[in-house]
Amino acid sequence: MQCDVFSTTPMGGNGLAVVLDGAGLTAEAMQRFARWTNLAETSFVFAPSDPAADYDIRIFTVSRELPFAGHPTLGTAACWLAAGNTPKQAGVIRQNCGVGLVHIDLTGDTPVFVAPPTSIADMAAPMLAAITAGLHLDPTRILRHAVLDNGPVWHAIEMQSADDLLSLDAGAITPVSGLAVGLIAPRSNGDADFEVRMFSMWAGLNEDPVTGSLNSALAHWMQAQGRVQRPYSVAQGTCIGRHGRVHVIPSPDDADNGPIRIGGHTNILIKGHVTL
């Protein structure tokens, strides 16, 4: 199947290809197919290797395998259910991936996954300077910065306002090779609380339409600062013609330390068979 994640508007989110039967495929075959789809990620579903899981998943970008990613988590779950599967426990899917078991709660209006833990480290001054120069950021507009790791590693920078992000010209960016840079800033109007942009610099420069794993890491970063006291929403993909919306929901019992849930809508656009 091929689906579109984190938008109620078909083709407004982030595209994902899902191979629902990955049995027998080698890593090389999966990488080759992911490169051919040319989507942000392609996921492959396998029988569960953990008895607690409903299925195993492997996730590939066009160039490498990821231990975890947000929109493949929600998109694969939607496709797996649409294919007629039923979770072992009603109301929750347990997905086994490179970071372990990830729980996807199906009981609300929008499916949400429990964000895996995020480690937070200081960003070295030379790295911050390189990113600031490469992206042509105004250093006086930077509020906070950190290196976040929740499987993928993110170099995260918070700016003062959404205009600081929306005014960036991606065509003028000089990539800082080997990094994934996530930018976040508050919005003052519209149907979202924050604006996010993510630039992958692993092979040249690519802007991701909507990034669940980055938003998971950013939410844990903000939670560590005591800034996630209520649910909030994030807009992403604005500058590349998408209408991505990510919903961040803290624990109602312990907003400062409890689990963070990341939600979004999935549209299934294509169903069929693929020859690999």
Side-chain angles (χ1 to χ4, degrees):
M1 296 187 189
Q2 188 164 320
C3 61
D4 184 62
V5 188
F6 286 126
S7 183
T8 55
T9 303
M11 296 174 289
N14 201 353
L16 173 74
V18 181
V19 177
L20 288 160
D21 179 11
L25 292 176
T26 65
E28 291 77 15
M30 288 185 277
Q31 184 64 79
R32 185 166 59 249
F33 183 62
R35 188 163 51 246
W36 180 83
T37 68
N38 202 33
L39 294 168
E41 278 104 24
T42 299
S43 67
F44 299 83
V45 178
F46 301 86
S49 59
D50 184 325
D54 290 292
Y55 55 79
D56 284 8
I57 181 178
R58 292 181 69 175
I59 304 165
F60 289 79
T61 72
V62 295
S63 60
R64 63 195 181 101
E65 184 172 5
L66 299 177
F68 167 75
H71 97 277
T73 293
L74 291 177
T76 302
C79 291
W80 185 80
L81 290 170
N85 295 292
T86 303
K88 294 175 179 177
Q89 179 182 336
V92 61
I93 290 175
R94 293 183 174 87
Q95 168 190 285
N96 190 32
C97 60
V99 297
L101 290 177
V102 176
H103 292 66
I104 302 149
D105 185 348
L106 306 174
T107 59
D109 294 336
T110 302
V112 297
F113 65 82
V114 179
T118 298
S119 65
I120 303 169
D122 293 335
M123 190 185 303
M127 181 59 72
L128 176 62
I131 294 170
T132 301
L135 273 64
H136 304 288
L137 300 176
D138 180 348
T140 67
R141 302 284 295 173
I142 295 174
L143 295 177
R144 301 171 184 86
H145 48 82
V147 179
L148 312 176
D149 184 347
N150 61 349
V153 176
W154 311 102
H155 286 71
I157 296 175
E158 183 175 356
M159 305 295 291
Q160 289 187 26
S161 79
D163 288 342
D164 295 319
L165 276 59
L166 299 174
S167 62
L168 287 181
D169 179 4
I173 291 175
T174 301
V176 183
S177 181
L179 297 186
V181 175
L183 306 177
I184 185 170
R187 285 170 51 131
S188 58
N189 52 52
D191 63 343
D193 300 295
F194 292 90
E195 188 79 32
V196 163
R197 296 182 77 175
M198 192 283 268
F199 298 101
S200 174
M201 304 184 183
W202 289 95
L205 178 71
N206 178 61
E207 181 169 359
D208 196 48
V210 200
T211 319
S213 48
L214 169 61
N215 280 288
S216 301
L218 292 170
H220 276 128
W221 183 34
M222 294 170 62
Q223 183 187 52
Q225 301 161 22
R227 300 168 58 205
V228 183
Q229 300 301 314
R230 60 175 181 84
Y232 67 86
S233 60
V234 172
Q236 191 178 349
T238 306
C239 292
I240 53 175
R242 306 295 178 93
H243 191 267
R245 294 295 184 269
V246 179
H247 302 282
V248 179
I249 306 168
S251 170
D253 302 320
D254 188 2
D256 289 331
N257 298 291
I260 293 282
R261 290 172 170 80
I262 304 295
H265 185 75
T266 296
N267 297 291
I268 297 175
L269 304 180
I270 300 172
K271 297 181 181 180
H273 296 82
V274 61
T275 301
L276 296 177

